[in-house]
Amino acid sequence: MGNPWLCQPALLGEYLGLTKQWESDLHLIAHLWEHLGMEDTLAPWQQLVGTFAIAVYDRDRQTLTLGRDPAGGQTLYYTTDGATRWIAPRMRSLLPHHHREMDEIALRDYLCCAFVPGERTLWKGVRKLLPGTTLQLPSDQIQPYWTLQEQIVGATEPIEWHSQRLRHLLEETVKDALPNHEPVGCFLSGGIDSSCVTALARQLHNAPVHTFSIHFGKPYPNELEFSSLVAQHCQTHHHILEISLSDLWAFLPEAMVHLDNPIGDPLTVPNLLLGRVAKQFVNVALNGEGGDPCFGGPKNQPMLIQSVYGSFNQQDAVHAYLVSFQKCATDLPQLLKPEIWQAIRSEPYYLKGWLNSDLHYLNRLMAINIRFKGADHILTKVSNLTRAVGLEGRSPLFDPRMVDLSMQIPPEHKLSGVQEKAVLKQAVADLLPDVIVNRPKSGMMVPVQIGFQKHWQPEARALLLNRQAAIAPYLNQSLIRDWLAYRGDTWRRYGVKLWLLASLESWLQVHQC
């Protein structure tokens, strides 16, 4: 379970002083456990580099130990009830082995974030192993072998010093992610993150580089101007996929089939369809995921502004953070059935401790984004949806080494005034046209608002307002009816919320069979 290319067997062999040619990475990893794991059960995990989910059975001790990589690029799930414990890298594999009782706290968190953060899943009897953590069975002992820590290095050094360190590591992580002697793909939006990965791949790779971009048709805004500029600048083989609104809706159930927990991100379907196109040309595709959470993306700014101009206690800070997702946090008392809301309204949110940690405030926000949004949304989505089409997705900017470096860079070099990701832009300024380096982030503009207003009304009503809908016992369908009619909000901004609910209902339907 995992990506052998990232386990760095050559480095492990060098570390152990071994010269033998091993049959596979797993043979070498097994030897690592024999060499290091007798006295310190955490030591072998600390030597692995990259993304992985591994189960190790010790015949002598009769223990089974599960471990997940620090960034959360791979997933591992386990059941919590009954005499027999079941584990799997995909939660769908566990369906025959647990009851379909919904975890109402996980439901609340999904409605706030559009994903389920932390160890919970949408099912009560299933848990997710946290990144950088081991679980030993049958003792149920959970231990972190890696912790996200703020360790500022070179606090008085100028931004150029930090950008040089970042550039060196960028080249290393992109190079490690490249497949040997075969074409590679890059998902290219035209933003700084995917563009710098593309530029480095083109510079470092010894085989063709293919780039892949999407748009939703002429009536809707897109970033093709920028992605095409980068593709031309880097001289890649560029492919553009147009996704119709009818396809965006039609492929929603298929996208949900491949996700372990529901993810209410409108990019799930585009990720699936773009991966299908990329698979025609490459077996490995790189992406720019990780730039925002690791290097101070613009989504941190609302919370930073509120921390400067407002004063709030711990509970207010949690609420403000959830509101910043712009999902359903403020709607919970009306959206959830009254008895469910009363039962869970006082339950603490998993991220509370991180929001009130001792880290610098920006790094607190980034740590939450890395630890939860990264592991429970971004990386899981990319890994599952690319794997679904036989493609391997790799995220050089979310490599654990990159995460560690991000917490060494002074916060003022990441979000510098109104300039987000300042140190990253400095690190790659020579690779890309200035218009790409310094353009504001816009994000992929998926037209779900117009979709629900003009294209998907009959289908959405049939899905969400059906009395037999899976969400009916939990959510207030009269409120959802108002949203579908675009009543109650002066700005009529219901598209993202409705997509989140449609994703949830679709996920429940395909995972309850």
Side-chain angles (χ1 to χ4, degrees), residues 304-354:
L304 291 170
I305 292 171
Q306 185 158 352
S307 73
V308 172
Y309 294 103
S311 59
F312 40 63
N313 57 34
Q314 292 185 1
Q315 192 60 37
D316 291 337
V318 172
H319 180 71
Y321 181 79
L322 295 173
V323 170
S324 73
F325 278 91
Q326 297 183 336
K327 300 300 188 294
C328 301
T330 59
D331 305 302
L332 291 179
Q334 295 78 38
L335 182 57
L336 289 168
K337 289 288 183 71
E339 62 275 15
I340 294 176
W341 174 240
Q342 288 302 321
I344 66 171
R345 62 181 303 175
S346 300
E347 292 290 335
Y349 286 88
Y350 193 82
L351 51 79
K352 180 178 179 181
W354 290 82

Side-chain angles (χ1 to χ4, degrees), residues 12 91 197 324 359 383 467:
L12 290 177
M91 195 162 70
V197 169
S324 73
L359 276 63
S383 174
R467 291 183 179 181

Side-chain angles (χ1 to χ4, degrees), residues 386-400:
T386 52
R387 185 168 49 196
V389 297
L391 186 69
E392 188 175 332
R394 299 177 180 176
S395 309
L397 292 178
F398 236 135
D399 185 284

Side-chain angles (χ1 to χ4, degrees), residues 106-410:
L107 172 63
R108 175 203 65 182
D109 294 349
Y110 170 82
L111 294 172
C112 292
C113 305
F115 63 92
V116 180
E119 63 183 356
R120 292 183 183 274
T121 73
L122 214 58
W123 304 126
K124 275 188 176 179
V126 183
R127 286 291 182 265
K128 173 176 50 190
L129 189 64
L130 294 175
T133 300
T134 68
L135 167 65
Q136 189 175 99
L137 298 172
S139 66
D140 285 330
Q141 182 182 16
I142 296 177
Q143 286 184 288
Y145 68 86
W146 175 89
T147 304
L148 184 61
Q149 295 180 330
E150 180 182 65
Q151 295 179 322
I152 303 300
V153 174
T156 60
E157 297 289 349
I159 190 172
E160 291 79 11
W161 186 84
H162 293 281
S163 68
Q164 289 175 5
R165 295 181 72 226
L166 174 56
R167 174 61 174 272
H168 176 75
L169 184 58
L170 269 172
E171 293 180 359
E172 185 176 322
T173 57
V174 171
K175 185 176 181 180
D176 287 345
L178 295 170
N180 291 325
H181 310 298
E182 65 176 75
V184 69
C186 294
F187 292 163
L188 179 61
S189 69
I192 184 68
D193 305 332
S194 62
S195 296
C196 75
V197 169
T198 298
L200 285 171
R202 183 66 180 85
Q203 185 179 93
L204 299 172
H205 201 34
N206 57 6
V209 176
H210 293 259
T211 46
F212 304 91
S213 301
I214 63 171
H215 70 111
F216 301 96
K218 291 182 179 180
Y220 309 111
N222 62 68
E223 298 182 288
L224 293 183
E225 172 189 355
F226 302 104
S227 60
S228 298
L229 175 61
V230 174
Q232 182 180 13
H233 176 78
C234 297
Q235 297 184 316
T236 66
H237 302 277
H238 194 45
H239 312 269
I240 297 174
L241 172 65
E242 179 178 337
I243 300 175
S244 68
L245 292 193
S246 60
D247 280 346
L248 191 61
W249 180 267
F251 283 96
L252 177 58
E254 182 179 345
M256 293 301 110
V257 166
H258 301 295
L259 296 177
D260 297 316
N261 267 315
I263 293 177
D265 180 350
L267 281 172
T268 49
V269 173
N271 285 158
L272 177 70
L273 298 182
L274 192 62
R276 188 167 289 162
V277 171
K279 178 58 181 175
Q280 300 174 29
F281 302 92
V282 298
N283 294 315
V284 173
L286 312 188
N287 59 70
E289 303 288 9
D292 281 352
C294 288
F295 298 106
K299 291 185 178 180
N300 294 300
Q301 290 180 349
M303 285 293 290
L304 291 170
I305 292 171
Q306 185 158 352
S307 73
V308 172
Y309 294 103
S311 59
F312 40 63
N313 57 34
Q314 292 185 1
Q315 192 60 37
D316 291 337
V318 172
H319 180 71
Y321 181 79
L322 295 173
V323 170
S324 73
F325 278 91
Q326 297 183 336
K327 300 300 188 294
C328 301
T330 59
D331 305 302
L332 291 179
Q334 295 78 38
L335 182 57
L336 289 168
K337 289 288 183 71
E339 62 275 15
I340 294 176
W341 174 240
Q342 288 302 321
I344 66 171
R345 62 181 303 175
S346 300
E347 292 290 335
Y349 286 88
Y350 193 82
L351 51 79
K352 180 178 179 181
W354 290 82
L355 262 178
N356 298 293
S357 70
D358 294 330
L359 276 63
H360 182 282
Y361 192 67
L362 174 61
N363 280 346
R364 257 183 264 176
L365 300 177
M366 289 174 54
I368 294 172
N369 290 340
I370 290 168
R371 188 74 173 179
F372 302 113
K373 189 172 183 181
D376 300 325
H377 172 191
I378 297 172
L379 292 176
T380 299
K381 178 189 69 171
V382 168
S383 174
N384 286 0
L385 293 177
T386 52
R387 185 168 49 196
V389 297
L391 186 69
E392 188 175 332
R394 299 177 180 176
S395 309
L397 292 178
F398 236 135
D399 185 284
R401 293 167 290 179
M402 197 67 71
V403 171
D404 282 333
L405 180 64
S406 75
M407 286 294 161
Q408 297 175 13
I409 299 173

